[in-house]
Amino acid sequence: MTVLAQADGDAPYVPEHVAIIMDGNGRWALSRGLPRASGHPEGAEAVRRTIEASLEFGIRHLTLYGFSMENWNRPRTEVQALMAFLRENLAEETAKLDRHGVRLVFIGDRSRLDHDIAACLDDAERRTSSNTRLDVIVALSYGGRQEITSAVRRLAGKAACGQIEAAEIDERTVSEHLFTSDVPDPDLVIRTGGERRISNFLLWQVAYSEFVFTDVLWPDFSREHLAECLDEFGRRNRRYGALSA
Ligand code: IPE
Ligand code: IPE
Ligand code: MG
């Protein structure tokens, strides 16, 4: 297993922004004869390890896909178990992350979350807003198509009332109306759990991201697995449609 030779932010293979589709919690639990929902607390342990490793490696922005718009279609009991887990752990985790200099940001449709959970997210963002070591952006109740749709709706509203000229709308204007307006696009997207699809994650922002798919189930994901994904990223030749130097 390859481990990063040098773990500082200047290492050329450490991308600025890593985004992760954290998949495989249910299968991890079922393969141990446990109920599906018990995979989620184990997944939270992998989140802690990944944040620690990101701090160590000098990653600047880490986006974690925690709950998609489509995940609302799961059985009520599973959704409730996930929300209960968030409710019980958010405040304590926020305090810990704050001590480590992490700025927390939540992206997604907050109106679908229970009121107290949405308030916890607001509070976590406020509390950590001046931290600068690492941005942890958590996608909760998030869908890429819904995000783009809402940006289009807002832009159309501005055009209708003369705040903006329709002809002036360009890629930068669209980007500025997404949840992620203050972070660069992901350099690297990792998906655990064996599936090779995007599942409505950051559709606009991943236009030129590199993708690494791994069969490791999310609760098993470790610092070394992240290091391997970064090594793989370091071997990629990003051409952006042009020719290599
Ligand atoms: C990812 O694990 C976590 C969420 C989507 C909430 P899954 O719950 O999708 O686990 P699998 O893919 O069924 O194993
Ligand atoms: C994607 O995983 C969403 C998250 C990891 C939060 P899913 O398990 O929901 O994706 P599909 O259903 O396999 O596409
Ligand atoms: Mg899944």
Side-chain angles (χ1 to χ4, degrees):
M1 195 175 285
T2 337
V3 176
L4 281 180
Q6 88 194 91
D8 66 48
D10 300 330
Y13 40 73
V14 175
E16 207 181 324
H17 185 173
V18 176
I20 308 183
I21 302 174
M22 310 183 291
D23 197 22
N25 293 355
R27 279 164 288 162
W28 183 94
L30 292 178
S31 71
R32 282 165 176 73
L34 300 167
R36 267 188 61 83
S38 67
H40 299 310
E42 284 300 318
E45 290 298 326
V47 169
R48 288 188 196 102
R49 286 195 294 276
T50 303
I51 293 175
E52 266 173 40
S54 300
L55 285 163
E56 178 192 346
F57 297 155
I59 292 167
R60 284 288 297 111
H61 316 275
L62 174 70
T63 299
L64 300 171
Y65 201 7
F67 192 85
S68 72
M69 283 307 269
E70 292 70 28
N71 290 151
W72 287 114
N73 300 323
R74 290 193 179 189
R76 217 174 121 73
T77 46
E78 181 165 339
V79 173
Q80 279 175 340
L82 267 162
M83 295 301 150
F85 184 75
L86 271 180
R87 186 173 278 120
E88 282 155 28
N89 292 281
L90 259 170
E92 195 183 327
E93 290 305 320
T94 300
K96 273 195 228 157
L97 294 172
D98 187 31
R99 285 198 291 276
H100 284 94
V102 170
R103 180 172 80 107
L104 272 169
V105 176
F106 295 90
I107 59 174
D109 181 359
R110 244 171 256 200
S111 70
R112 291 196 62 173
L113 296 167
D114 285 348
H115 233 66
D116 63 320
I117 294 182
C120 259
L121 305 191
D122 291 342
D123 185 58
E125 284 184 337
R126 238 189 333 268
R127 186 166 171 173
T128 61
S129 63
S130 56
N131 293 340
T132 55
R133 237 181 120 198
L134 168 69
D135 289 343
V136 173
I137 300 137
V138 185
L140 275 185
S141 185
Y142 173 87
R145 285 191 169 184
Q146 292 81 356
E147 178 184 36
I148 294 169
T149 306
S150 122
V152 169
R153 197 181 303 120
R154 280 198 293 142
L155 283 166
K158 286 184 182 179
C161 67
Q163 248 179 289
I164 190 172
E165 284 291 326
E168 277 171 16
I169 297 172
D170 57 10
E171 287 177 29
R172 183 209 281 249
T173 336
V174 175
S175 295
E176 284 170 355
H177 285 75
L178 300 176
F179 294 125
T180 50
S181 57
D182 66 343
V183 283
D185 290 341
D187 302 290
L188 168 64
V189 177
I190 298 168
R191 181 169 186 144
T192 64
E195 312 292 356
R196 276 133 177 90
R197 56 176 167 255
I198 193 76
S199 301
N200 204 13
F201 187 45
L202 301 178
L203 297 180
W204 172 277
Q205 297 89 335
V206 299
Y208 267 105
S209 304
E210 295 296 325
F211 286 79
V212 172
F213 296 101
T214 166
D215 291 336
V216 174
L217 300 174
W218 177 249
D220 290 327
F221 195 76
S222 65
R223 172 194 181 279
E224 285 68 31
H225 292 124
L226 177 61
E228 284 181 330
C229 294
L230 300 190
D231 278 350
E232 168 68 32
F233 172 80
R235 288 191 291 274
R236 300 283 174 88
N237 180 1
R238 300 182 83 184
R239 286 187 291 276
Y240 301 98
L243 300 179
S244 352

